[in-house]
């Protein structure tokens, strides 16, 4: 589903990614783990077709990322990307026009789960509520690839586990591939099947989470400290 | 629709302003000079405002980080640029339509101006129609310049002042450089209409260049 072959990204003299190679099959939940500034967001932007690699090649479902692959890709950026003047309902209606298979009923269920009102103006939402709105917009249609860039930032700690439980147990479809980036490793540990560790723009370790934990006899948080800090 | 709604202040404001202006001309202006002035001049103010509104609609997206949402939609970046360009153009076409219709509805008799223009084979209302068409051509030209500027800024990051200065110089240079060859190219067209057609053509060419650059080089 996702392939990256030695992708490098440079902004001026700064290297954001260096020869990153990744291969993930469909249906997996992948933790993309690294500290802030380690290259996770750049990697996601390349997969979403919003940035081009300086060198190397990225493929999503066999195609270079573009507006065509965005037809089946949900990209949830780390920033708050929505128009403050819109209501939640208007935003979902606007987004729904662009995606085939947008499910308004599913969006309503997601809104209930995330405790959001359709009538709320986005400017009036807290940071955590805006984070939850991104999740609603990202899961309200049957995308095949979900790129969640630090989706838990701003969401209060008690809600995080509940939200992740709901997402992975209630809303994730079997064929959906989810890449979730975070530095809060313990939050996603119960859900991820594969992990990719980033440090200074490079992949330092990747593989099946259970195998890596078993082979090294440590949990993901400890592994994170060893290879990503 | 999202563009018109989001920037309803500027686009709605100039459109309503133009409509109110013509209501004023049609109901209150009686003097010949006043009618000519109001029907010919004030709408031109919007020709300067709309390109700035277009450029601001792009910079506003970047400032508010909403470009993350907009550019992640499953459409080409060029389509987004097209939608943004259509919003001020819609306002300009509305203003143009109102002003064009208003010219025929003005009750003022253009006696003095009519006699003056008769020797040139023209009428005051024909001149006003020409001025308003030139207005629309100028808006298309300036929107094209603004759109190309947006594309250039996506292509060349940094050195804003240098790039901006070079862009303005190059735009003026190209505009005047091709004016004469264009005049020869459309030799059969009455010369008074050549600047109008040239402004439309140049504006659309610049717009296309802006779309292509934005589509090709926009990155987050």
């Amino acid at each position: 589903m996702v392939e990256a072959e030695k992708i490098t990204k440079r902004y001026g003299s700064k290297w954001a990614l260096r020869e990153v190679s990744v291969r993930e099959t469909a249906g997996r939940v992948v933790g993309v783990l690294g500290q802030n500034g380690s290259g996770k967001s750049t990697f996601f932007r390349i997969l979403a077709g919003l940035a081009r690699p300086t060198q190397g090649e990225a493929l999503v479902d066999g195609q270079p990322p573009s507006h065509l692959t965005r037809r089946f890709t949900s990209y949830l950026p780390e920033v708050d990307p929505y128009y403050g003047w819109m209501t939640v309902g208007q935003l979902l209606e606007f987004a729904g026009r662009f995606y085939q298979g947008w499910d308004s009923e599913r969006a309503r269920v997601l809104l209930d789960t995330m405790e959001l009102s359709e009538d709320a103006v986005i400017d009036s939402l807290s940071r955590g509520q805006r984070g939850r709105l991104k999740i609603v917009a990202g899961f309200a249609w049957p995308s095949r690839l979900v790129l969640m860039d630090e989706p838990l930032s701003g969401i209060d700690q008690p809600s995080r586990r509940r939200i992740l439980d709901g997402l992975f147990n209630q809303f994730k479809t079997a064929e959906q591939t989810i890449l979730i980036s975070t530095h809060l490793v313990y939050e996603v540990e119960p859900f991820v099947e594969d992990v990719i560790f980033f440090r200074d723009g490079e992949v330092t370790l990747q593989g099946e989470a259970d195998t890596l934990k078993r082979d090294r006899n440590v949990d993901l948080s400890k592994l994170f400290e060893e290879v990503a800090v | 629709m999202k563009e018109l709604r989001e920037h309803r202040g500027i686009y709605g404001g100039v459109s309503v302003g133009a409509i109110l202006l013509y209501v004023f001309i049609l109901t209150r202006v009686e003097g010949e000079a006043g009618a000519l002035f109001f029907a010919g001049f004030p709408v031109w103010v919007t020709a300067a405002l709309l390109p700035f509104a277009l450029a601001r609609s792009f910079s506003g997206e970047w400032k508010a980080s909403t470009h993350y949402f907009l550019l992640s939609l499953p459409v080409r970046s060029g389509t987004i640029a097209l939608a943004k360009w259509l919003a001020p153009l819609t306002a300009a076409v509305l203003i143009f339509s109102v002003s064009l219709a208003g010219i025929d509805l003005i009750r003022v008799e253009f006696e003095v101006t009519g006699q003056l223009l008769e020797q040139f084979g023209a009428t005051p209302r024909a001149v006003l129609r020409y001025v308003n068409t030139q207005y629309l051509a100028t808006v298309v030209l300036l929107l094209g310049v603004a759109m190309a500027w947006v594309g250039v800024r996506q292509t060349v990051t940094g050195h804003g002042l240098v790039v901006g200065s070079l862009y303005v110089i190059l735009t003026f240079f190209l505009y005047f450089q091709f004016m004469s060859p264009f005049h020869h190219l459309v030799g059969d067209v009455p010369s008074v209409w050549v600047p109008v057609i040239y402004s439309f053509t140049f504006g659309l060419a610049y717009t296309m260049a802006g779309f292509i650059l934005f589509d090709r080089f926009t990155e987050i």
Side-chain angles (χ1 to χ4, degrees):
Chain A
M1 185 64 187
V2 170
E3 286 173 71
E5 184 65 36
K6 289 188 173 180
I7 54 171
T8 293
K9 182 66 181 175
R10 253 174 71 166
Y11 293 103
S13 58
K14 189 178 175 291
W15 294 85
L17 291 177
R18 282 173 192 262
E19 300 207 335
V20 168
S21 295
V22 165
R23 184 181 291 261
E24 287 296 337
T25 51
R28 306 289 285 177
V29 177
V30 185
V32 179
L33 311 174
Q35 290 188 307
N36 291 332
S38 60
K40 308 186 299 287
S41 297
T42 306
F43 180 57
F44 277 20
R45 285 200 293 270
I46 287 174
L47 293 180
L50 302 173
R52 279 172 293 277
T54 310
Q55 282 175 349
E57 187 183 39
L59 295 173
V60 174
D61 204 22
Q63 308 171 57
S66 70
H67 67 288
L68 298 173
T69 57
R70 288 199 291 270
R71 287 177 186 168
F72 54 81
T73 303
S74 281
Y75 171 61
L76 285 62
E78 188 182 3
V79 297
D80 293 329
Y82 300 133
Y83 298 96
W85 55 271
M86 284 186 179
T87 64
V88 167
Q90 285 169 339
L91 183 272
L92 295 177
E93 191 195 335
F94 179 69
R97 285 187 210 140
F98 291 91
Y99 296 105
Q100 218 172 21
W102 182 272
D103 187 340
S104 301
E105 188 49 44
R106 188 179 162 90
R108 263 189 286 278
V109 175
L110 275 157
L111 281 177
D112 285 344
T113 309
M114 299 294 164
E115 294 171 351
L116 290 169
S117 161
E118 268 188 289
D119 300 324
V121 177
I122 291 171
D123 257 346
S124 71
L125 299 179
S126 69
R127 193 164 167 236
Q129 286 174 315
R130 289 181 208 187
R132 285 186 253 157
L133 177 57
K134 280 190 276 187
I135 293 170
V136 174
F139 281 85
W141 60 289
S143 55
R144 275 149 51 203
L145 174 64
V146 185
L147 302 168
M148 302 170 79
D149 194 2
E150 297 279 2
L152 304 173
S153 61
I155 297 175
D156 56 288
Q157 203 172 6
S159 304
R160 287 179 197 159
R161 186 59 184 266
R162 186 174 54 79
I163 288 168
L164 289 175
D165 266 331
L167 275 188
F168 291 111
N169 298 325
Q170 193 182 345
F171 295 105
K172 182 192 177 302
T173 60
E175 58 275 11
Q176 213 164 31
T177 309
I178 298 180
L179 269 67
I180 179 167
S181 88
T182 184
H183 58 279
L184 304 169
V185 182
Y186 59 96
E187 302 273 10
V188 297
E189 183 161 0
F191 306 101
V192 297
E193 295 163 291
D194 296 334
V195 283
I196 305 169
F197 289 98
F198 276 79
R199 183 171 59 199
D200 298 332
E202 292 178 278
V203 171
T204 50
L205 184 68
Q206 62 179 311
E208 198 183 14
D210 286 341
T211 309
L212 290 175
K213 285 193 283 187
R214 195 175 53 241
D215 289 352
R216 297 180 178 229
N217 201 25
V218 287
D219 62 12
L220 281 188
S221 296
K222 186 72 184 158
L223 208 51
F224 180 84
E225 283 173 26
E226 285 176 14
V227 300
V229 177
Chain B
M1 283 310 291
K2 175 238 153 210
E3 279 306 307
L4 287 171
R5 194 168 173 182
E6 186 175 1
H7 302 285
R8 57 189 177 275
I10 179 77
Y11 298 144
V14 293
S15 303
V16 169
I19 291 166
L20 289 177
L21 174 73
Y22 274 88
V23 171
F24 171 72
I25 298 168
L26 297 177
T27 57
R28 305 299 293 270
V29 175
E30 291 176 353
E32 199 171 332
L36 276 173
F37 172 79
F38 284 117
F41 178 70
V43 290
W44 280 79
V45 175
T46 62
L49 289 176
L50 292 173
F52 280 107
L54 174 64
R56 202 165 150 254
S57 81
F58 282 94
S59 61
E61 300 278 0
W62 261 256
K63 202 172 165 188
S65 296
T66 48
H67 64 303
Y68 275 86
F69 170 62
L70 208 54
L71 294 170
S72 69
L73 294 170
V75 290
R76 295 191 72 108
S77 305
T79 311
I80 291 164
L82 172 69
K84 283 191 168 291
W85 175 79
L86 281 174
L89 187 73
T90 304
V93 169
L94 181 67
I95 293 165
F96 169 70
S97 307
V98 168
S99 64
L100 208 61
I103 289 164
D104 287 320
L105 296 173
I106 293 173
R107 290 172 302 172
V108 175
E109 292 296 327
F110 294 102
E111 287 173 17
V112 180
T113 327
Q115 284 169 9
L116 196 71
L117 291 172
E118 204 175 357
Q119 54 190 311
F120 300 105
T123 65
R125 287 177 208 276
V127 169
L128 283 175
R129 274 186 216 105
Y130 173 78
V131 167
N132 278 283
T133 311
Q134 181 65 271
Y135 156 79
L136 188 64
T138 304
V139 173
V140 170
L141 171 69
L142 295 178
L143 286 179
V145 171
M147 189 62 243
W149 170 241
V150 170
V152 167
R153 288 306 285 151
Q154 292 302 317
T155 311
V156 187
T157 50
H159 310 292
L161 193 64
V162 178
V163 175
S165 307
L166 287 174
Y167 176 76
V168 170
I169 292 166
L170 186 70
T171 300
F172 272 101
F173 174 77
L174 291 175
Y175 184 79
F176 291 109
Q177 186 71 16
F178 288 109
M179 194 177 267
S180 182
F182 186 82
H183 204 290
H184 292 297
L185 197 72
V186 291
D188 294 339
V189 176
S191 60
V192 72
W193 285 105
V194 173
V196 177
I197 299 167
Y198 183 65
S199 294
F200 271 120
T201 310
F202 198 85
L204 290 175
Y206 253 57
T207 303
M208 280 306 296
F211 288 164
I212 291 166
L213 290 176
F214 190 83
D215 191 68
R216 177 72 187 81
F217 293 104
T218 298
E219 276 195 315
I220 292 179

